[in-house]
Amino acid sequence: MCGIFGIVGKNIDSDTISSNLENLISQISFRGKDGFGHFFDQDKNLFIGHTRLSILDLSDQGKQPMMSNSGRYFITYNGEIYNHPELRNSLTKEHSRHWKSSSDTETLLAIIDEYGLDRSLEIIDGMFAFALYDRFEKTLTIVRDRFGEKPLYWSIINNNGKSGFVFSSDLNGIL
């Protein structure tokens, strides 16, 4: 179980995020106490945060948000890809992929990098919720598994001149 959180919108600045970062993460920290990471793109008014519960890869190489090898994608991910060993073996054989970690997050990013998001969602098997930021297309996509096993809450913000979109793996992360 990990915690994911993000916000994108107008007038969201790094000072506001920085001054509230500890409070924002504390709201979901019970979902993962093994580490915390974040990504902030000031130009796009985008913040993505992650609290980690290390299961498949206990090293720092599995920390999130994680960037794809191509540099195109950032992901904050909660879940388990059941067929990640098979997908990883396939990518290694067919595309000579080299791995930095043993995490299924890295496998998921590599699949998305290689096949795109739509095709990747067809071939992965698991329970998950994640947010994927595409730096080339400048899009943020949030995804949940077909059965909704992993929680993912979201809301539209329109308050005091600030507007945007917020998501979290826990309702407290939004409130």
Side-chain angles (χ1 to χ4, degrees), residues 1-167:
M1 171 168 81
C2 294
I4 65 175
F5 173 84
I7 186 168
V8 60
K10 294 181 181 178
N11 303 319
I12 298 168
D13 59 57
S14 57
D15 292 337
T16 301
I17 294 293
S18 295
S19 63
N20 291 300
L21 186 58
E22 190 173 310
N23 183 45
L24 291 170
I25 295 307
S26 72
Q27 299 303 313
I28 62 169
S29 63
F30 69 93
R31 296 191 61 84
K33 298 205 178 269
D34 294 332
F36 160 73
H38 69 279
F39 168 77
F40 186 72
D41 186 332
Q42 178 73 40
D43 295 335
K44 304 300 173 249
N45 292 311
L46 170 73
F47 170 83
I48 299 172
H50 186 86
T51 60
R52 183 175 182 212
L53 181 64
S54 303
I55 295 176
L56 290 180
D57 186 335
L58 305 180
S59 76
D60 283 343
Q61 296 301 319
K63 70 180 183 177
Q64 296 182 48
M66 186 180 285
M67 183 174 65
S68 64
N69 281 348
S70 68
R72 179 174 181 169
Y73 300 104
F74 272 93
I75 195 169
T76 182
Y77 161 78
N78 174 28
E80 182 179 353
I81 304 300
Y82 304 136
N83 61 337
H84 114 87
E86 294 85 5
L87 294 171
R88 184 173 278 238
N89 287 338
S90 174
L91 283 173
T92 301
K93 288 177 187 174
E94 294 173 23
H95 304 284
S96 301
R97 178 72 71 157
H98 298 283
W99 305 98
K100 298 176 189 170
S101 74
S102 58
S103 74
D104 57 349
T105 308
E106 185 181 10
T107 303
L108 176 58
L109 269 175
I111 291 291
I112 293 169
D113 233 1
E114 196 63 47
Y115 301 113
L117 181 58
D118 291 340
R119 176 72 180 122
S120 296
L121 292 174
E122 292 173 3
I123 62 176
I124 62 174
D125 178 26
M127 58 177 179
F128 51 84
F130 64 85
L132 183 74
Y133 177 55
D134 184 331
R135 294 175 61 205
F136 295 173
E137 298 292 327
K138 298 175 180 31
T139 57
L140 177 70
T141 305
I142 61 170
V143 177
R144 192 164 79 175
D145 64 81
R146 294 166 190 86
F147 296 106
E149 291 182 68
K150 290 296 180 181
L152 182 61
Y153 301 91
W154 60 271
S155 181
I156 303 296
I157 302 167
N158 195 358
N159 188 15
N160 296 328
K162 295 184 183 349
S163 62
F165 177 81
V166 64
F167 67 89

